[in-house]
Amino acid sequence: MASSPAPSPAAPPLLLAALAALAVVASASAAACSAGDRDALLAIRAALSEAHLGVFSSWTGTDCCTSWYGVSCDPTTGRVADLTLRGEADDPVMAPAGRPASGVMSGYISDAVCRLGRLSSLILADWKQISGPIPPCVATALPYLRILELPGNRLTGEIPRSIGSLSRLTVLNLADNLITGGIPSSITSLASLKHLDLTNNQLTGGIPDDVGDLTMLSRALLGRNKLTGAIPTSVGSLTRLADLDLAENGLTGGIPDSLGSAHVLTSLYLGGNRVSGRIPASLLQNKGLGILNLSRNAVEGAIPDVFTAESYFMVLDLSRNRLTGAVPRSLSAAAYVGHLDLSHNRLCGSIPAGPPFDHLDAASFASNSCLCGGPLGKCT
């Protein structure tokens, strides 16, 4: 007959008591909610109005850390770490019954947000009607802030002058608002910044000359503003920069040669400015560049005939400039050219035969001085 397994030795009563005490402390710590932070959140809520989706319906009681929609806390301190409210999100609140909704929220951003001293993420995105300025104290009272996203609203006023004080900031997204004034010079002190999106505002003045100091930057999206002046040459020293959008501004001067050495650059949008001078050959030789839009500028001279079998352009738009000379024959050697637009220039001569020219229509070459061949018909 098999013997029964020996019973496990009982844990000492003192050990059990200690473990129980630790469990209670851990549970309390994880569930704790700073009273000061809770009061700040209620002040933030009082400044905002959202009537249809009930975004704030869960903001009741004292436990802001576990049940309040959009609020997350540090479990060890009970301090609010993240406030994330998106007007277009895929969750049970914003997408009831699996049907995504587009929320509308009005009001303003209360400076009570600056009392959330351990805040890491502040996201109030795509609510369409939140107006007023960004509280200046956001730049000075939130030293732990890593993500600041306020796009898709109707914010006015200027970007806080001291924004560069947010030394931990990795994402700054203020796109699609009504923000005015210049880009603060302190912004180049954001040594951790990876994503900068100021698209579609009313920003004026120039791009800071020392923008190259943002060595971690991978995306710089400044299109559709009223920026003027030259493109800083230091932008070419941004070795991690993959996407640069400066389109639809009033920028002047030449295209910096240094952009040709931005080896991870994949997209460059400069369309709709007053950029002049020639196209740097190094830019077209950049092996990683897949989207290049220089349309609607005053770029002149010949298109550098430097394309190779490693050239791969999903978009190459050089339309509506003052380009002269012939269509580069080396384009035939490119691995791929999807959308090509050379229209409304001063190009002349015959369009080369073969790919990529054999899949393009006449619109790609329209309104030049004396182009012929290919989709434009035989040269006479």
Side-chain angles (χ1 to χ4, degrees):
M1 181 176 178
S3 59
S4 300
S8 301
L14 286 177
L15 177 58
L16 289 174
L19 290 174
L22 285 172
V24 170
V25 171
S27 175
S29 176
C33 176
S34 161
D37 284 2
R38 183 176 62 252
D39 290 343
L41 288 170
L42 291 174
I44 293 168
R45 174 188 174 177
L48 298 169
S49 176
E50 192 286 307
H52 301 293
L53 296 171
V55 168
F56 294 118
S57 61
S58 64
W59 285 33
T60 59
T62 60
D63 189 5
C64 67
C65 288
T66 59
S67 59
W68 288 24
Y69 178 74
V71 178
S72 299
C73 298
D74 183 332
T76 62
T77 64
R79 298 298 306 276
V80 173
D82 303 292
L83 177 57
T84 302
L85 299 173
R86 296 186 183 274
E88 297 175 1
D90 185 13
D91 58 45
V93 172
M94 292 302 298
R99 297 188 300 273
S102 183
V104 176
M105 187 183 293
S106 58
Y108 63 95
I109 302 174
S110 168
D111 59 8
V113 72
C114 300
R115 293 171 9 214
L116 302 175
R118 300 291 297 192
L119 201 64
S120 176
S121 300
L122 174 58
I123 302 174
L124 298 173
D126 301 315
W127 289 106
K128 306 170 187 63
Q129 296 297 326
I130 297 177
S131 57
I134 302 168
C137 59
V138 166
T140 56
L142 302 176
Y144 296 95
L145 200 63
R146 295 179 182 274
I147 297 174
L148 178 58
E149 292 193 47
L150 307 173
N153 292 295
R154 295 185 61 81
L155 299 177
T156 54
E158 300 189 359
I159 300 171
R161 297 287 99 186
S162 301
I163 195 75
S165 300
L166 298 173
S167 60
R168 292 177 170 86
L169 200 67
T170 61
V171 175
L172 176 58
N173 184 352
L174 306 177
D176 302 317
N177 280 289
L178 302 171
I179 297 171
T180 55
I183 299 174
S185 58
S186 72
I187 206 167
T188 60
S189 298
L190 297 174
S192 300
L193 194 66
K194 297 178 181 179
H195 179 107
L196 174 63
D197 192 349
L198 306 178
T199 305
N200 194 27
N201 279 284
Q202 298 176 11
L203 296 170
T204 55
I207 301 169
D209 287 337
D210 55 350
V211 67
D213 290 349
L214 297 172
T215 55
M216 299 299 291
L217 197 64
S218 62
R219 302 191 79 200
L221 311 178
L222 309 179
R224 287 180 285 158
N225 280 286
K226 300 176 181 179
L227 299 174
T228 55
I231 302 169
T233 56
S234 68
V235 73
S237 64
L238 296 172
T239 57
R240 291 178 169 86
L241 188 65
D243 302 296
L244 177 60
D245 184 358
L246 304 177
E248 309 291 342
N249 280 289
L251 299 173
T252 54
I255 302 169
D257 290 339
S258 58
L259 278 172
S261 60
H263 296 305
V264 300
L265 190 66
T266 59
S267 66
L268 175 60
Y269 296 90
L270 298 181
N273 283 285
R274 289 183 286 162
V275 173
S276 57
R278 294 174 176 265
I279 301 173
S282 59
L283 188 61
L284 297 181
Q285 289 173 315
N286 191 324
K287 297 174 184 178
L289 191 61
I291 297 176
L292 176 61
N293 189 331
L294 306 180
S295 65
R296 293 164 294 132
N297 279 289
V299 180
E300 59 190 10
I303 302 171
D305 198 358
V306 293
F307 298 92
T308 70
E310 294 181 311
S311 301
Y312 193 103
F313 285 95
M314 293 176 285
V315 175
L316 180 56
D317 191 344
L318 308 180
S319 63
R320 298 181 183 274
N321 279 286
R322 301 172 185 174
L323 296 169
T324 55
V327 176
R329 295 195 173 277
S330 61
L331 263 172
S332 298
Y336 178 77
V337 179
H339 175 79
L340 174 67
D341 195 345
L342 303 180
S343 65
H344 298 275
N345 278 289
R346 300 170 185 177
L347 301 174
C348 202
S350 61
I351 297 171
F357 306 103
D358 54 6
H359 75 262
L360 300 171
D361 58 29
S364 296
F365 306 99
S367 300
N368 274 283
S369 296
C370 50
L371 279 181
C372 61
L376 298 181
K378 293 182 178 180
C379 297
T380 58

